[in-house]
Amino acid sequence: MHKRVLKVLEFDKVKEQLLQHVSSSLGRELAEKLEPSNDFDEVVKRQEETDEAAKILRIKANIPLGGIFDVRPHMKRAVIGGMLSAQELMQVASTVHASRQIKRFVEEFAEEDESIPHLLSQVDQIVVLAELEEAIKKAVDDNGEVLDSASDTLRHLRNQHRAKESRVRERLESMIRSSSAQKMLSDAIVTIRNDRFVIPVKQEYRAHYGGIIHDQSSSGQTLFIEPQAIVELNNELSSIRIKEQQEIERILIMLSAKTAEYSSEMEGIVKVLANIDFMFAKARYGRTIKGSKPIMNQEGRISLVKARHPFIPIDDVVANDITLGKDYTAIVITGPNTGGKTVTIKTVGLCTIMAQAGLQIPALDGSEMAVFGSVFADIGDEQSIEQSLSTFSSHMVNIVDILDSLSFDSLVLFDELGAGTDPQEGAALAIAILDEVNRRGARVIATTHYPELKAYGYNREEVVNASVEFDVETLSPTYRLLIGVPGRSNAFEISKRLGLDERVIDTARSFVGADTHQVENMIAALEESKREAERELDEAHELLRNAERMHKDLQQQMMQYYEKKDTLYEKATKEAQSIIEKAKRESETVIHDLRKMQQEKHAEIKEHELIDAQKRLTEAAPKELKTKHPSIKKKEKHVFHPGDEVKVLSFDQKGILVEKVGGDAWQVQMGILKMKVDEKDLEFIKTPKMPETKVIASVKGKDFHVSPELDLRGERYENALIRVEKYIDDALLAGYPHVSIIHGKGTGALRQGVQEYLRNHRFVKHIRFGNQAEGGSGVTIAELK
C-alpha cells in the first residue's frame, strides 16, 4: 500500500488511537508496524482474530494481560553468558507467569465457547515454564530485590550483617546520649556516609572523637566523623557486605544461566503474548468506535451499512449507506462545496484500509468490504510552491502516477476531479480519466462540481450519480448521501433566502439555458421522489415487522391451543375409560353375587336379563381415539347457511359459518381467527337449534355470530359489567377458547372492575393483559373453560 495514500487517508491517526489500547510494549511494537494487507486469506485471518478478541471482551469484559515485559534483550545477554539483574529476572518471571495466566484463561473460555480457534492456536504455542518461574520467585521478590531465602549462605550473611549493624548503632547511640555530646554534636543522630556509620560533630570538637572524617556540611561547621572506637566494627560490617554482594552475584549468575536454557521457549512466549496483546488492542479500539466485523470478498464489492468517519464524534456524524461494485463500478458525487463529498470518499477509503489491516470498521453489522490489490487517492490541495506547480498541475502529477499503476483490483478515489483549470476543459478531462479507469476494471469514486458530469452517470451503465443532500430551508448540508440522484446547484435558492432581489435572480435565470433548467427540475423531482420512496419503504418495513410479529404470536397461540385440546381430550378419554372399567368390574361382581343368590335362594332372576344388563354396561364404555386426523368421508352435499357448525377439513378444526364471500367461498370463524375457506373444504356438522332461553335468543338471526372481542371504551362502569356478563355467555355458546375485552387504559377503574369480574366467573380459566400486538394493558385476554 502506498505510504502517501495512507497519509492522505489519515491511517496514521487510526494507529495513534489504536496505541491507546495496548497493554505492553510488545503490543505497541506490533501496532506501530501495522499496515494493510492485500492478501485475502491474511485479511480474513486478521479479522477473525480481532472478532475472537471482541467476543471475549463482550462476555468476560477483560483478559489478564498485566505483568508482560519485553524480555528479549535480557534473554540475548543471558545466552552469551551475561548476568541479569534481579529486576530483569523479576521481569522474566512476571512474563512467564502472565503467559500461564493467559493460557489458562483462554482454555477455560474455550470450554464454554469453542469458536475461538485462532486464540487457542496462539496459546497452544505457550510452553509453561513453571520451574523457571518458581526458581526466580524463590530468589527475587516482586520489587526486584534478592530474598534471604535465595541461599543458606546469603541468609547467614544477612543475619550477621543485621547483628553487626545493630552493635554499631548501639555504640554510636551511647556516644550521642552522653552529657558531653550535647555541646559537641550538631545533632544527636546516627547517619551514614560512604556506607559507614558516622555522627555529626562540631568543627571545634573534631579531636575529641578521633577516627575518620568522611564528609562535612556545606558551611563547614559540621564534620561527619567515624569515631575511632567503631572503625573496626565498621570494617567488619563492610567485609560482611562485600561477601553478601558476592553471594548475590553468584545467585544472579546461576539464575541467568538457568534462564538462558529456556531462551527459545521464552522467545516463543514473547511472540505469542505480543500477538494476543495486539489482537485485544484491535478489539478494544473497535469497541471504542462502535465498529463491526466486515464480510470480506475478492470481487471488489463494497456495501457499507450506516458507515461513519471514525474521527468525527458519533453524536455529530451522519451515517450513510454506500454500495459499490455490484450494480455499478463507479460513483460520481456532484454538488456544491462543504456538502460532505470529501468526507464520504475518505470514509470509504479509510474503511477499506482498516478492514485490510484487520481492524473493525465504523459501520453496522452486515457491511461488506473488498480486499483490493491497491488503493489510490488524489484528495486535498496538492499545490507545491517549491516545485512551482499549480493545484491543477500537482493533481495531474498524482493522476498520471495513478493511471500508470492501477489495475483491475484497485480502488481509486478522486476528489474534485479536473478542478483548478478551465471548467470546460476540466470536465472533459474528468470524463476521459473516469472512462480510462473504468476501462481497466478498477473501482472508482470521484467528487466534482462540474455540471457536465451529471449526465455522465446516465450515459454509462457501470456508473451511478450521487450527491450529498442540501437543505435550502436551513442553508446547510445534511451530509446524507443520495445514490442515484446527481447534485444540483442551489445558488438561486440560497440567494433568494438570503434576500437577493427577485429581479436580479430572474435576470440570472435568463442567462441559464433551458436545458439546464430542465436538468435542475429533474434533479429536484428525483430528490423528492427518493425521499418519498424512502419514507414509504420505512413504513412498509414497520408494517411488515408488526404483521410478522402478530402472525408469529397467532401461530404460537393456535399451536398451544390445539396441543392442549388434544392433551385434554386424551386425558378425558382415559379417565372415562378408567371409570367405565371400574363400573364393569363392579357390575360383574354384582352379577356374580346375584347368580350366587339365585343358586342359593332360588331368587326370581332370569338369566337373559342378567346378560342384557352386562351387555349394556359393556357398550357404555367409550372407545379410544385412534387418530387425531380421521379420514375425510364423503357426505351428501349440504346447502350451507350462515350460523352452520362445520369442520374445516384441511385444518381438522370446527368453526361457524359467518357469511358467503363470493362464489363457493365462505368466511369461517375458527376460535379467534376468521378465514376464507372454499365450500369443498367444509364438512357440515349441524345447524344450531334455537333454544327459547333469553341468553340464546339474543344471538338469533344476523346477530348469531359473536365477535371474538368486546369493546367497552366510553362505557359507564355499571353498563360495562352488564355487557361483559352477557358477552361471556355468548362467547361460551360460540365455543370460543379465549376472547379479548378492550377496556382502554384511562384511570384503570374499568380495567380493574372487568378483571375482578372475570376472576370470579366460574367459566373463566385464566386472564392476562394483551401483548404489544394485541393492545398491551388496554386489553384483557380471558381464557374460557
Side-chain angles (χ1 to χ4, degrees), residues 397-447:
V397 168
N398 293 332
I399 291 171
V400 169
D401 290 340
I402 291 172
L403 293 178
D404 287 342
S405 306
L406 69 84
S407 59
F408 71 94
D409 63 345
S410 298
L411 173 65
V412 185
L413 306 172
F414 290 127
D415 187 31
E416 296 297 346
L417 183 59
T421 187
D422 177 76
Q424 194 169 2
E425 293 181 354
L429 271 173
I431 291 172
I433 291 167
L434 290 174
D435 280 343
E436 178 63 17
V437 173
N438 280 321
R439 187 184 66 79
R440 299 196 196 179
R443 305 294 185 263
V444 59
I445 304 178
T447 71

Side-chain angles (χ1 to χ4, degrees), residues 575-611:
E575 288 178 354
Q577 185 70 29
S578 175
I579 293 169
I580 297 301
E581 289 292 337
K582 183 179 178 182
K584 284 172 62 179
R585 287 193 298 272
E586 290 178 355
S587 68
E588 287 172 357
T589 302
V590 170
I591 292 171
H592 175 73
D593 292 342
L594 288 172
R595 283 178 174 163
K596 188 176 179 182
M597 290 171 60
Q598 185 184 38
Q599 293 171 359
E600 291 177 355
K601 300 182 180 180
H602 304 287
E604 292 298 326
I605 302 173
K606 296 180 180 180
E607 183 68 22
H608 72 89
E609 293 177 348
L610 294 173
I611 294 172

Side-chain angles (χ1 to χ4, degrees), residues 521-541:
N521 292 336
M522 178 192 72
I523 293 172
L526 280 172
E527 288 179 350
E528 182 58 33
S529 298
K530 187 175 181 65
R531 282 193 292 268
E532 183 64 26
E534 288 176 349
R535 282 195 296 270
E536 291 178 355
L537 182 62
D538 290 341
E539 292 174 2
H541 282 164

Side-chain angles (χ1 to χ4, degrees), residues 514-563:
D515 291 343
T516 304
H517 279 305
Q518 291 175 359
V519 170
E520 292 295 325
N521 292 336
M522 178 192 72
I523 293 172
L526 280 172
E527 288 179 350
E528 182 58 33
S529 298
K530 187 175 181 65
R531 282 193 292 268
E532 183 64 26
E534 288 176 349
R535 282 195 296 270
E536 291 178 355
L537 182 62
D538 290 341
E539 292 174 2
H541 282 164
E542 183 63 28
L543 288 172
L544 179 60
R545 284 192 291 270
N546 290 337
E548 287 175 346
R549 281 197 297 268
M550 187 178 295
H551 183 258
K552 187 176 180 180
D553 289 343
L554 287 174
Q555 279 186 325
Q556 188 175 2
Q557 290 176 20
M558 288 292 288
M559 288 174 63
Q560 291 173 351
Y561 166 71
Y562 291 133
E563 288 173 3

Side-chain angles (χ1 to χ4, degrees), residues 59-297:
I59 298 173
K60 296 292 186 180
N62 215 332
I63 182 172
L65 285 171
I68 299 174
F69 298 92
D70 185 2
V71 297
R72 288 172 295 186
H74 311 341
M75 301 306 301
K76 287 180 181 178
R77 267 204 347 277
V79 167
I80 62 176
M83 183 189 77
L84 302 183
S85 68
Q87 186 74 24
E88 290 170 336
L89 286 167
M90 182 275 296
Q91 291 179 357
V92 171
S94 177
T95 303
V96 171
H97 178 74
S99 70
R100 187 161 52 84
Q101 291 286 98
I102 291 171
K103 182 180 179 73
R104 183 168 68 241
F105 177 89
V106 172
E107 289 175 345
E108 287 176 354
F109 184 87
E111 291 177 2
E112 304 171 10
D113 189 335
E114 298 179 359
S115 58
I116 51 169
H118 295 290
L119 272 168
L120 277 175
S121 174
Q122 289 286 336
V123 298
D124 283 346
Q125 302 172 44
I126 294 178
V127 180
V128 178
L129 303 179
E131 183 182 352
L132 176 62
E133 180 188 351
E134 184 180 356
I136 294 175
K137 287 191 172 182
K138 183 180 178 182
V140 181
D141 66 13
D142 292 339
N143 297 318
E145 299 292 336
V146 179
L147 298 167
D148 293 358
S149 58
S151 73
D152 293 337
T153 302
L154 183 61
R155 182 186 295 105
H156 176 70
L157 287 170
R158 285 185 171 172
N159 287 338
Q160 277 189 321
H161 184 277
R162 282 189 285 270
K164 192 68 68 175
E165 184 178 296
S166 178
R167 286 184 59 192
V168 172
R169 284 184 176 278
E170 286 176 3
R171 291 287 297 275
L172 289 174
E173 291 285 348
S174 66
M175 289 182 184
I176 64 177
R177 283 198 300 269
S178 66
S179 57
S180 60
Q182 298 296 322
K183 64 176 182 178
M184 290 186 288
L185 298 179
S186 300
D187 201 354
I189 60 170
V190 176
T191 185
I192 296 175
R193 291 291 187 278
N194 301 323
D195 289 334
R196 299 177 78 87
F197 287 95
V198 296
I199 56 176
V201 182
K202 292 178 181 179
Q203 174 72 26
E204 57 268 28
Y205 297 107
R206 58 184 297 181
H208 178 78
Y209 289 98
I212 304 168
I213 299 173
H214 288 277
D215 198 4
Q216 70 177 8
S217 66
S218 57
S219 64
Q221 297 300 311
T222 300
L223 302 176
F224 294 94
I225 296 176
E226 179 185 357
Q228 186 64 41
I230 66 163
V231 168
E232 187 60 32
L233 288 174
N234 265 336
N235 287 341
E236 293 175 6
L237 197 58
S238 296
S239 176
I240 294 171
R241 194 179 290 117
I242 291 170
K243 290 178 182 178
E244 179 187 354
Q245 190 59 39
Q246 289 173 345
E247 179 62 14
I248 289 173
E249 289 180 2
R250 186 191 68 77
I251 293 169
L252 294 179
I253 290 172
M254 179 193 69
L255 290 174
S256 299
K258 189 175 185 66
T259 301
E261 296 174 8
Y262 298 99
S263 61
S264 60
E265 289 87 348
M266 284 301 301
E267 185 178 348
I269 287 173
V270 168
K271 184 178 179 181
V272 169
L273 293 180
N275 288 336
I276 291 177
D277 185 11
F278 180 50
M279 289 166 62
F280 279 89
K282 292 189 294 181
R284 290 192 193 96
Y285 174 64
R287 185 168 60 180
T288 301
I289 64 172
K290 298 189 183 301
S292 65
K293 174 191 172 187
I295 303 166
M296 305 306 301
N297 68 78

